[in-house]
Amino acid sequence: MTYFENDRVKLYLGDCLEVLETIDSESVDMIFADPPYFLSDGKSFYKDGKLIPIDKGDWDKAVSFEEKHSFNRNWIRACRRVLKPNGTIFVSGAYHNIFSCGVALEQEGFVILNNITWQKKNTPPNFACRYFTHSTENIIWAKKSSEAKHTFNYKLMKELNNGKQQKDVIVGNIISPSEKKFGKHPTQKPKYLLDFLIKSASNEGDLILDPFTGSS
């Protein structure tokens, strides 16, 4: 169901697999996907001196590896169908799910181009003190096939990096409070991150799909 549309944006309300079935084959130039992390396992963490349960919603409930990997293969397969022959996909995630996504991409015929690291400068401390503080997330960039002539705006990326080649690390702060004024999704990505990725791998007028945009 379409619940918002203008001359540049169209937002759907529904299960991503069901909505993807309604999209024409080979019609999308670039995909950015931020699938569930499957973090909600009944545990808690400390924040501002309070014990906060890790329960982000039914969409994030912890499942078995087999269920998680099956889910990833299904949505990646559906995304591959709608992606143009020379299109690419970015898949964002933390260690809870990103490795399954990487394997699923290859199983479904994608060719991985880069493993990009998003380094967050102002992450909260690790209160458990039993492992390293989590300060990065991975973004896998892949093209549809080995024959695909994918878009990479090399010159623009070099210009944005003071004349030097862009490395596979993006450094910046976690999302600012001003970008959460319409809600507090736990894994919302900052605008600068999406702006960087879209500029790197698409051209003006391209059609970009986000299958896990939530409430947008």
Side-chain angles (χ1 to χ4, degrees), residues 83-104:
L83 195 63
K84 291 181 180 180
N86 293 328
T88 59
I89 183 172
F90 290 94
V91 183
S92 173
Y95 69 91
H96 311 84
N97 192 29
I98 197 65
F99 301 113
S100 168
C101 289
V103 173

Side-chain angles (χ1 to χ4, degrees), residues 38-46 51-56 60-62 95-96 131:
F38 300 105
L39 281 172
S40 300
D41 56 3
K43 297 179 182 178
S44 302
F45 69 100
Y46 279 100
L51 196 62
I52 308 296
I54 301 176
D55 187 5
K56 304 179 188 305
D60 190 55
K61 291 292 184 185
Y95 69 91
H96 311 84
Y131 40 77

Side-chain angles (χ1 to χ4, degrees), residues 12-106:
Y12 296 90
L13 177 63
D15 181 280
C16 74
L17 292 176
E18 296 175 359
V19 174
L20 279 166
E21 289 181 355
T22 69
I23 298 176
D24 292 339
S25 296
E26 299 187 347
S27 62
V28 174
D29 295 283
M30 193 198 103
I31 296 172
F32 173 80
D34 190 19
Y37 290 16
F38 300 105
L39 281 172
S40 300
D41 56 3
K43 297 179 182 178
S44 302
F45 69 100
Y46 279 100
K47 182 179 180 181
D48 299 327
K50 298 178 181 179
L51 196 62
I52 308 296
I54 301 176
D55 187 5
K56 304 179 188 305
D58 290 339
W59 55 270
D60 190 55
K61 291 292 184 185
V63 296
S64 68
F65 173 79
E66 289 74 18
E67 291 174 296
K68 175 170 63 176
H69 195 62
S70 175
F71 170 77
N72 286 330
R73 290 200 67 174
N74 286 338
W75 73 258
I76 287 172
R77 186 182 306 120
C79 282
R80 191 171 190 274
R81 181 187 67 81
V82 304
L83 195 63
K84 291 181 180 180
N86 293 328
T88 59
I89 183 172
F90 290 94
V91 183
S92 173
Y95 69 91
H96 311 84
N97 192 29
I98 197 65
F99 301 113
S100 168
C101 289
V103 173
L105 282 165
E106 293 196 302

